[in-house]
Amino acid sequence: VIVGTGWGTFTQAVIDERSGISIVLSCEYGEMVVARLRLRGIVGNVAVSVDGRTTATQTSWEDGVLVVVFEEPITLSQHSKLELMAEK
């Protein structure tokens, strides 16, 4: 993932058939400001945290795509991680 003020990685992995999916956006250099995410392949609820702290979000569905909107845009600095645990 490359943005004007930094870059990082995006990973999405199936934990297991019961637990669901783990999604991680991490900042490797600079800063990344995130106001919303659009995710395919998610069908249930999501829990969102930044560096282990729960983060307030609003979720909705648009044409089968999960839209996660942060109540306040978050800034990921170097080595920060945005983590989503989602039902499959």
Side-chain angles (χ1 to χ4, degrees), residues 2-87:
I2 299 173
V3 296
T5 57
W7 61 271
T9 60
F10 176 89
T11 57
Q12 182 172 335
V14 174
I15 297 169
D16 62 43
E17 290 300 316
R18 288 186 212 151
S19 298
I21 298 173
S22 168
I23 299 165
V24 177
L25 176 62
S26 62
C27 181
E28 301 300 325
Y29 178 81
E31 290 184 339
M32 301 168 66
V33 177
V34 182
R36 73 174 46 218
L37 294 171
R38 295 176 50 84
L39 303 166
R40 294 188 188 283
I42 309 300
V43 296
N45 297 322
V46 294
V48 182
S49 64
V50 175
D51 295 330
R53 293 182 301 275
T54 302
T55 302
T57 60
Q58 298 289 326
T59 57
S60 62
W61 297 92
E62 295 176 5
D63 298 320
V65 176
L66 175 65
V67 179
V68 179
V69 179
F70 296 90
E71 289 187 6
E72 295 284 332
I74 58 165
T75 300
L76 297 176
S77 56
Q78 192 169 356
H79 305 299
S80 290
K81 289 184 181 179
L82 167 63
E83 299 178 86
L84 294 94
M85 294 297 295
E87 294 176 2

